[in-house]
Every structure is written in C-alpha cells, then in structure tokens.
Amino acid sequence: MRTWKRRGLLPAAALLALALPLSSSLVLNSTALAAPRITTPEQFFGFPLGTEGKLARWDDLVKYYKLVADKSQKVLYQEIGKTATGQPFPLLTVSSPDNLKKLDRIKESNLRLADPRGLTEAEAKKLTAQSKSVFLLEAAIHSTEVGTAQVIPNILHRLADEKSTTVSEILDNVVLLIIPAQSPDGTKWVGDYFNKTAGTNYARTYPDLYQKYTGHDDNRDWFMITQPETQISVALQNEWKPQVVQNLHQMGNSRGRIFIPPYLSPNDPNIDPITVQQTNSLGMEISRSLTAEGKKGVQWGSTYDYWTPSRQYMTYHGAPRILVEAASAQDLAYTYKSSNGGPIGPQEPDTNFIEPYDQSTWTLAQIVDYLDTAVFGALSNVAKYKTEWLYNFYRTQRNAVDPSADKPFAYVVPAGQRDPFATYELLNTLQTGDVEIEQATSAFTANGKRYEAGSWVIRYAQPYGRFAKTLLEVQRYPDLREYPGGPPQSPYDVTAQTLPMLLGVYVDTVAKPFTASTTPVTKVQPANPAFPGDPGGNGAYLVSPESYGTAMMIAALQKAGAGTFRASAEFSAGGRTYAPGTLIVEPSKAAQTALQEVSRKTGIPVFSVGQAPQVAAEQLKDNTRVGLLRGINNIPGGWMKWLFEQYGIGFNEVVAADFAGDLNAKFDTIVLPAGISRTDIVSGLNRDRYPAEWSWAYGVGEAGWAELRKFVEDGGTLLAIGDSVATARQLASLPITPALPSDEHQFFSPGSILSQRFDTSDPVAWGMRPDTPVWFGEGDQAYTVTGGDVVSSFPKSGEQLQSGWLIGGEHLNGKANIVKHQMGEGLIVTFGSEPTFRTWSRDPSKLLFNAIYHGPSTTVDGAALPGALRG
C-alpha cells in the first residue's frame, strides 16, 4: 500500500477555481506558498478514478490539468501542437518551482550532454551534478487502454499536493514531462462513446480507428514520423533529450497482470548497451516496487522485444524505453472475471514471474493502482540516482560520437538518384530524427567509388548515428525458436525497416574513412529542377514514371481537368529516352500550373517537347472516381486514407448505402485494403449493437455482395490487397491458389523485405525496377496461377530474403504476387503482399496508383495521340 494519505475535502470557496477562465494556453501559478490546497481528482470528477463502469471524459481531464496548473507552482500546462483532427495536444511539465524557473538552463545542459563532442569528462561530471534528469511519461497512446489516461490525474495531484520526502526528491531532481494522451482525439472519442452508451444495449467500446488514420498503429510511426501526434512527441524529445521515456499501455487480460522490462530477446544491436542495461535495471526496480506493495502477477522477459525503431524512437537517442503493459479490464471499465472461477493468468512461478496473481477478478481500479506504482517506482529511482542517470546518458552519447572500428564510417547517398522525391523523403526522415547530414561541394572518392558533387554524407560518429544506421542498414533478425527445432518465437512487431529498400533510394555503406569537401545541410529541401518552357499547341509535357511521386502529378492533373496519357511503350523525344508509363500531358495552362506545383514539392523534373510523340498510350479517364472500402476499425485502410490524402488522390469511402444502388454510377475503381473479408462486407457491423452513426459499416447482405461482383462485370476495377485477395477469390472464383504452407515451421515471414521480379512493360508495374524488393508480412500470400496476367513474382531460385527474417523461402520460388484478372468488362488486380504497408513501403506504392488509373483508362494508338492531346 502507499504511504501517502488522501486529503480531506476542499473548502467550498476553493471549488470556485473550477469555474475560473484560463487566459493562456501556458499556465504557471506564481501565487504565494500559502495558496489553497488543490482539488483532488475524486472531488473534481465526482468519483475515484478507476471506479467500476465510469470513465472521466477527455474534456474534463483537460479542465482538471488546467486547474492543477493554475493552482500549483509545480505544474505547467501547455498546448504544444494540434492533433490529426486539429484539436489541442497538451503537455504537462512538473518539477519544483525553482526548477520551473530554470527550464531553459536545464534544457541547455541536457543538449550539451546529448552532444558531448568537445566536452571533457570533468565538464560532463560538473553538468551532471548541477543539472536535473528529464523524464518523459506518455499515456493514452492506445485510446481503448483507458486506465493509462485515468491514472494521470492521480499522479499529477500527488506530485502537486503531497508533502512527502519521496515527492520532494522527485520534484527537486527531475523535470517530468507528461503527455497525458498521445492520442487526444481517440481518448475523447472512446470516453465520450463509453459514457454516451451507458444504460443502452449498445456495445460500450468505440468501434472504429481511435486515431484518425492509424488507430492502434499510432505507435508504429516512430521512424517514418507521418502523423501530427508523432511529430509533436519527436520534436519534444529532440528539444529536451530525456534520460527516460516511460510508455503506459494495457495488454490482454488473460496473462500476467503487468509487464515491465527487461524485454524478450532480441535487442536491436544499434541500441547502446548502457541503454539496454538501464532499461533492465529500471524495469526491475519498478518490479520491486510493485512486489513490495503486494501487487502480484508482475512479468518481464516475455512477449515484448527491443527490436524495431517503429515503436521506440527514444532508444536511438540515448533514453531507455520503459514499456508498462497492465492487463485490461472487461469492456474497458468493468471487472474481468476468470472463466473457471480460479486465479487469472499463469500460476507457475518462474524467474521472470515471481508471484502469480491469485485472484479471480481484475478491475479498472487495480489497473490505475498498478500503473501509479509503476510510474512512481521509476520516478523515485531516477530522482534518487539523478547524477548517475545523467552521467550514463552522457556515456551513451560519448559512445555514439566515438568512431569505432566495428561500425561503418559513413553512409553515402549518391547524387542523381532515379527518384528525387524518394531521396528527399529519406533524407528528411533522417533529419527529423536529429541526424546530421552533409552535402558534397565537389566530387570525391570513397571505397574506390567516385561520387559526384551534391551527394550526401551521413557519418556514423555523431550523436544519432545509431538512428541512421538502424534505418539505412539491412536487418538480420536472429533465427529464434520457442525451443530447439520448434516453431519461431514471434517478434512482437516486424523485423525489417531498411529505408533505402522501402523508398527505392541507393545508399552505400562505406566502412573505411575518406575525405570529402562537404557543407552541413541545415534543412533538407526537395530538388529544384528547372521547369520547361511552353511546349506550344502541337507539343506536350512529359514526366518519367520512376518516382512514386508521379501519383501526385496524376492526382493534380485530374483535379485540373488536364488531359493525361501514359505511354504504353518506350519512346524517344527531345533527345531523351522515356520508359513505358511516362506521362504525356496536354500543353495547357491548367496542366502547366498543376505540374509546376507538384514538381516544386517533390523535385520531380518535368520536360516538354514541341511535337507530341507518336506512341501507343493509355488515356486516363477524366476525374477517375476512386473508392476506398475502408471497413470498420481497418488499420490498413486508415493508412491508405492518409496516403491518398497526402498525395491528393480524389477518393470517396465506399459505405454500406453505396451497395444499395449501382456501384458503377459512383466509382471507377474500388480498393479493398488488407483486412477486408467477405464477412466484413456481407454481415458488417452488428446494427443491434451499434447506433445509426455507424450505419456506413453495417452489412450489405448477399444483394450487396452480388452488386460488387456486378460492378466488376460491368467494367469496374477492383483492387484487392494482402489477405483481402481471399475476398476477391470468393467474389470471382479467380484462377489463383495460395502456395505457402500455413505451418510456421515451414514458412514464416514476420514483416520482412523480399526479392521480387516485375514485368515492367505491364501498366501496373510501370516505373518499377525489374528487381524492386517488396514488403511481405504475416497474412500476405504467394500464389500458383492458372490464369490471368502475372505482373510480379518471386525469383525462381536463390535468396528471397533481402532484410528481416524468413523461414522457408524456397516455398516462394517462382510463385506469383501481383496478378491481373479480366472479369466481364472489368478488371481485378490482386496484390499478394501490401505495396503500401503502413506507408513505409513507398516505392512499391506506384503499383497501387498505377492500377487505380489503369483499369478505367482507354487505349490510344500512336498516330492518334497528338490529335487526342489537342482534344
């Protein structure tokens, strides 16, 4: 049990503070130490947080944070950005009043320790003695893990109001940054929906994505950094350089009661060993705190590994990631009961599971209590050993900037890449992660290879070279089995993240030192190619198909109403040779404006010729009507929605009501992202369990299923991705058969990058390199084909694995991935693997965009093309 005591009720006069307006988004109380004591969470919300069947709403939580900041000299409230829906993203800063007055100085000391080049050990020791540890606490990352949001008011009140030695030591030695909800939007949606459905027969859990695009994947964004919430948190970490980051989560309710590090193997070798050991030691200290308070069911060394940067940006920036996963309650806020009346979870003690949980029930109140202990256990340790934490942080950073014989000297990104937009996005990703980039001012030689001026150099010996290395290198995940000869030990997430492969950029690893004349890149910018002159009435604009940014060109041209064609064969014009898939665009002012704007954003060059080429082509349908059947709580569809919006693709979501009419009257192409089954379409969301606001996801019945088939037969294009290929097979009896064993002993690809061979003459594969690697994850499939046109397949022999982990690659040999199928007047394209997985897989996204516009297009012969361009 805790040693602190709950305070008595606040005097009625003090409760008037609840109604006082806040004049600024930055609130710091400067009143005297005799200020009124602070309203407790129970007084404010009207119930103890964690009460059965009750959740504090997000709007009320924010009001409470502002109240505490207004009444305490130890708390700052700020709004440091906007969410994906444009709502405020709050930050709480908690420390002693004296520390809050010196935040700039503390931040400056941290930044110096983070980059110790030129810093002597004596100077570092002086800084660590004088400065304060910075601890970042993130809650409500996944919004249905409601206990993590409900515990924050208790933690905040205790720090602001309690007079214990423990709290004083924390406030004196630590600057605590609290993100009370990493997903504010979802925290609001989930809490409001739960409260709104109270007393009804409706399900209490919010049924859809609780981050606008990514849902549960919102913490799989820590290296591509696509979402506003991720960008805010990364910017905060870059600004403060915390020594510890603690993430609060909830897990399934049938295992242990709480997970704390140490993690299960493997550790990414790019995480500094000191960081790994600090993670282990702090995790064990938290476990000790929980056990000392009689909290049983504490588990470590299971389920969660320390591998991928998509979940742990901080570990490559000197801070341990302390993952806390409490078991969940039933239906968010109700008691979970064991099915047999006995104790919940495993009952066999082990080294990493000292005391099994011995009760048959588990409540939200216990979740809140366990999380509270986990947070204070970590804070107390960091406060007590403040100097050691800061000094070890300095040591990790000293290791980072120290050249090492077993590490590469640098990575070189050669100038003149085939895709300037991909090159920009790769460099921008690294720079967002605080990686230093240099650009050569003249040609140089490294490892016997000549690089032209303009090439980029990323040296390993820099504060965040570890982050660059883990993104740029090939991953070799260890072959871990549950037992010798047994099934694979599943990684918690994926095993590969090699950016050059995912984006289609050539990057060279240089082991030995070299010299080059370079200049620091202060801000990565897209290339700035000269825009061509007016091609004249008989001419055309030309855009090569190699960049995945050409999708943005097509989308902009569609919106501008500019006539657009794609060459069906290679051709020469204006002294250049152009590949199949090259955009041939009418010479209008609207086309010029659209192309010029996208070229400026992407760096993709545009060319013009005074005489339009005579080459067979596809004429893209004006205003191609794209439909996205996202499905309820469908994460791949959410990512795809974000991608479409980023690239300006005009689309509408396909909803249940659309199936009641003629789908062809509304859509030219419909995309089924991964995760859409026949049941999702036919049965859909149970209308008896969810109110009419979710009617868009209700089932369409057999009549709707038949309408989808009719859509294709009458000339529509259907794209099925990943495991949704099975849905397309059911719809159309496609002549493809899954080729991979279901037994993980025989085949296992847990999120890896694999070899591929493309028919680049096929319109779906225009712009691809013949050997572009592809993402392949669990649920993806390869096929034996007895009909249709194979667009891509796996090599007939040889090494299939490019990065990550693969068991049984020989089962892929010669099997198909992407296949085109004619059905009546329409077209179905099946993608065995996801070409846009989490939007990490950018280069292969061309495949999806090509297919979207290819199906509804019409053919034009070479002789007719010049006339067609002039309308």
Side-chain angles (χ1 to χ4, degrees):
M1 298 295 292
R2 299 186 192 129
T3 56
W4 64 287
K5 296 180 181 178
R6 291 192 179 276
R7 308 301 185 190
L9 292 175
L10 199 70
L15 292 174
L16 294 174
L18 304 186
L20 292 177
L22 295 168
S23 58
S24 169
S25 64
L26 174 60
V27 183
L28 173 58
N29 188 352
S30 58
T31 57
L33 288 174
R37 293 206 4 264
I38 297 163
T39 307
T40 68
E42 184 174 351
Q43 290 167 338
F44 183 87
F45 295 103
F47 57 89
L49 294 177
T51 296
E52 174 97 356
K54 290 183 178 291
L55 291 179
R57 295 176 185 261
W58 173 245
D59 291 346
D60 293 332
L61 289 166
V62 172
K63 288 176 185 175
Y64 184 71
Y65 302 145
K66 291 179 178 179
L67 167 72
V68 175
D70 190 48
K71 292 298 174 184
S72 172
Q73 299 179 69
K74 305 167 189 174
V75 179
L76 291 170
Y77 174 90
Q78 295 168 271
E79 291 171 1
I80 58 172
K82 299 292 185 183
T83 68
T85 66
Q87 298 305 304
F89 188 101
L91 172 72
L92 299 162
T93 306
V94 186
S95 196
S96 70
D98 186 55
N99 287 342
L100 291 182
K101 293 173 186 174
K102 301 187 296 188
L103 289 180
D104 287 343
R105 193 184 312 168
I106 293 168
K107 191 184 301 182
E108 184 181 344
S109 295
N110 249 22
L111 292 172
R112 190 68 191 95
L113 292 171
D115 183 0
R117 289 171 291 193
L119 185 69
T120 67
E121 189 161 347
E123 290 169 335
K125 286 183 176 178
K126 184 177 179 181
L127 278 175
T128 60
Q130 293 174 346
S131 193
K132 310 296 177 182
S133 292
V134 177
F135 188 115
L136 174 59
L137 174 65
E138 294 180 306
I141 296 167
H142 294 144
S143 306
T144 50
E145 297 166 10
V146 294
T148 70
Q150 303 294 301
V151 74
I152 296 300
N154 291 350
I155 293 168
L156 186 66
H157 181 266
R158 184 176 174 189
L159 290 168
D161 196 58
E162 186 179 313
K163 304 300 189 290
S164 68
T165 347
T166 297
V167 166
S168 294
E169 188 173 45
I170 291 169
L171 295 172
D172 287 343
N173 291 329
V174 176
V175 173
L176 172 61
L177 306 172
I178 302 177
I179 293 177
Q182 177 65 29
S183 180
D185 292 337
T187 304
K188 176 176 173 60
W189 299 337
V190 168
D192 287 356
Y193 187 80
F194 181 85
N195 284 288
K196 183 172 68 174
T197 53
T200 72
N201 292 324
Y202 291 130
R204 306 297 303 281
T205 302
Y206 186 79
D208 202 19
L209 299 176
Y210 43 74
Q211 195 274 353
K212 182 178 179 181
Y213 302 105
T214 65
H216 198 79
D217 271 359
D218 63 352
N219 73 331
R220 271 72 169 172
D221 189 36
W222 289 101
F223 70 85
M224 291 302 281
I225 315 175
T226 65
Q227 302 303 304
E229 295 88 347
T230 317
Q231 293 162 3
I232 292 167
S233 184
V234 163
L236 186 70
Q237 292 181 60
N238 291 349
E239 177 186 0
W240 275 100
K241 311 300 183 190
Q243 278 72 62
V244 176
V245 179
Q246 188 174 38
N247 295 158
L248 302 185
H249 283 271
Q250 287 174 216
M251 58 184 179
N253 46 28
S254 61
R255 302 195 299 272
R257 296 301 85 197
I258 194 167
F259 168 88
I260 310 288
Y263 294 101
L264 188 69
S265 292
N267 299 316
D268 183 346
N270 293 306
I271 304 172
D272 189 278
I274 296 174
T275 302
V276 174
Q277 295 288 22
Q278 285 190 299
T279 306
N280 296 343
S281 63
L282 187 54
M284 295 307 291
E285 174 60 22
I286 296 169
S287 295
R288 184 205 60 77
S289 298
L290 289 159
T291 301
E293 291 189 7
K295 294 179 170 65
K296 298 180 180 181
V298 181
Q299 197 165 26
W300 58 270
S302 65
T303 308
Y304 306 97
D305 56 44
Y306 219 10
W307 182 258
T308 171
S310 65
R311 292 181 292 116
Q312 48 204 31
Y313 175 88
M314 66 293 294
T315 60
Y316 306 92
H317 293 74
R321 181 200 185 207
I322 306 301
L323 173 66
V324 178
E325 293 268 1
S328 294
Q330 184 72 37
D331 295 331
L332 302 184
Y334 292 92
T335 300
Y336 174 74
K337 300 176 182 178
S338 68
S339 57
N340 59 9
I344 299 171
Q347 294 299 300
E348 187 69 31
D350 206 340
T351 305
N352 65 339
F353 190 59
I354 301 297
E355 281 188 301
Y357 185 68
D358 55 6
Q359 303 297 310
S360 62
T361 60
W362 176 251
T363 66
L364 179 60
Q366 288 175 286
I367 295 170
V368 169
D369 199 27
Y370 271 57
L371 292 173
D372 184 284
T373 299
V375 171
F376 277 97
L379 282 171
S380 298
N381 180 274
V382 174
K384 186 177 294 294
Y385 301 105
K386 180 267 298 184
T387 302
E388 287 84 351
W389 275 98
L390 283 165
Y391 190 66
N392 280 329
F393 176 68
Y394 156 73
R395 283 170 162 162
T396 67
Q397 297 308 100
R398 185 182 63 188
N399 290 345
V401 301
D402 182 29
S404 174
D406 63 342
K407 298 294 188 295
F409 177 74
Y411 297 92
V412 179
V413 182
Q417 298 272 340
R418 72 192 299 270
D419 188 346
F421 183 48
T423 307
Y424 162 71
E425 291 210 308
L426 180 141
L427 294 170
N428 189 57
T429 298
L430 293 173
Q431 193 167 71
T432 302
D434 250 8
V435 172
E436 297 170 355
I437 301 170
E438 304 165 41
Q439 191 165 25
T441 56
S442 58
F444 65 95
T445 299
N447 199 30
K449 180 176 177 179
R450 176 183 168 87
Y451 295 93
E452 299 302 323
S455 297
W456 294 270
V457 176
I458 298 130
R459 299 179 192 272
Y460 178 78
Q462 59 165 296
Y464 308 112
R466 291 175 293 229
F467 187 60
K469 184 174 182 288
T470 203
L471 296 190
L472 296 177
E473 71 182 357
V474 170
Q475 278 71 55
R476 298 300 182 200
Y477 195 87
D479 187 7
L480 298 174
R481 307 290 178 135
E482 295 289 351
Y483 51 85
Q489 174 187 294
S490 292
Y492 185 66
D493 197 41
V494 301
T495 62
Q497 67 268 350
T498 308
L499 268 190
M501 292 183 183
L502 294 169
L503 271 62
V505 180
Y506 294 101
V507 179
D508 292 332
T509 304
V510 182
K512 295 181 179 179
F514 61 87
T515 57
S517 177
T518 63
T519 185
V521 177
T522 56
K523 175 63 178 172
V524 173
Q525 299 287 351
N528 187 27
F531 196 81
D534 187 340
N538 293 322
Y541 291 106
L542 305 176
V543 182
S544 293
E546 288 81 11
S547 174
Y548 54 81
T550 55
M552 298 171 69
M553 294 276 190
I554 294 172
L557 291 165
Q558 291 254 313
K559 286 180 179 159
T564 307
F565 299 75
R566 301 196 74 175
S568 299
E570 183 179 277
F571 68 95
S572 297
R576 296 177 183 272
T577 299
Y578 293 89
T582 294
L583 303 187
I584 305 171
V585 185
E586 68 175 27
S588 66
K589 181 64 177 176
Q592 179 195 46
T593 301
L595 292 170
Q596 195 162 14
E597 177 64 16
V598 177
S599 179
R600 182 186 62 80
K601 290 179 181 178
T602 62
I604 299 171
V606 176
F607 303 96
S608 68
V609 289
Q611 182 60 52
Q614 293 191 8
V615 59
E618 288 187 350
Q619 182 172 5
L620 302 192
K621 183 179 183 295
D622 291 341
N623 191 30
T624 303
R625 300 165 304 166
V626 181
L628 174 61
L629 204 163
R630 183 168 64 82
I632 198 75
N633 200 27
N634 178 259
I635 294 174
W639 279 111
M640 197 168 291
K641 179 178 178 179
W642 179 86
L643 189 66
F644 284 1
E645 289 183 8
Q646 291 297 303
Y647 285 14
I649 307 297
F651 76 100
N652 287 299
E653 294 189 31
V654 183
V655 298
D658 292 326
F659 288 83
D662 180 5
L663 286 172
N664 298 86
K666 298 177 181 178
F667 305 104
D668 299 307
T669 297
I670 293 176
V671 182
L672 300 184
I676 301 294
S677 68
R678 184 184 189 279
T679 301
D680 292 328
I681 296 172
V682 174
S683 302
L685 201 62
N686 185 340
R687 64 189 65 219
D688 295 328
R689 297 287 287 152
Y690 294 94
E693 65 186 282
W694 305 106
S695 61
W696 62 270
Y698 289 168
V700 302
E702 294 298 336
W705 179 252
E707 177 58 33
L708 183 60
R709 180 182 176 92
K710 181 176 179 293
F711 164 77
V712 182
E713 290 174 336
D714 289 353
T717 296
L718 183 68
L719 312 182
I721 298 171
D723 56 4
S724 290
V725 172
T727 307
R729 289 180 65 227
Q730 288 176 287
L731 182 75
S733 301
L734 300 177
I736 55 176
T737 306
L740 300 178
S742 57
D743 185 349
E744 291 183 344
H745 286 82
Q746 298 179 57
F747 182 84
F748 188 57
S749 178
S752 302
I753 303 173
L754 307 185
S755 301
Q756 196 78 168
R757 297 292 181 266
F758 286 94
D759 176 3
T760 57
S761 67
D762 190 287
V764 175
W766 280 342
M768 300 295 288
R769 286 169 290 141
D771 58 352
T772 305
V774 297
W775 182 267
F776 201 93
E778 294 185 76
D780 291 344
Q781 183 60 263
Y783 293 92
T784 300
V785 177
T786 55
D789 298 324
V790 176
V791 177
S792 81
S793 58
F794 297 88
K796 293 181 179 179
S797 63
E799 180 60 70
Q800 303 287 1
L801 179 65
Q802 295 291 308
S803 186
W805 186 23
L806 179 65
I807 296 172
E810 66 276 9
H811 294 288
L812 293 166
N813 290 354
K815 303 305 180 185
N817 183 0
I818 303 173
V819 186
K820 284 168 43 181
H821 315 265
Q822 285 296 142
M823 179 180 171
E825 298 297 316
L827 180 70
I828 297 177
V829 184
T830 54
F831 298 79
S833 64
E834 288 190 64
T836 57
F837 179 78
R838 291 180 184 165
T839 74
W840 301 353
S841 182
R842 301 275 172 98
D843 190 24
S845 70
K846 289 195 292 282
L847 298 160
L848 175 67
F849 297 126
N850 286 344
I852 282 173
Y853 295 108
H854 163 61
S857 67
T858 54
T859 59
V860 177
D861 66 40
L865 179 60
L869 274 169
R870 293 194 295 273

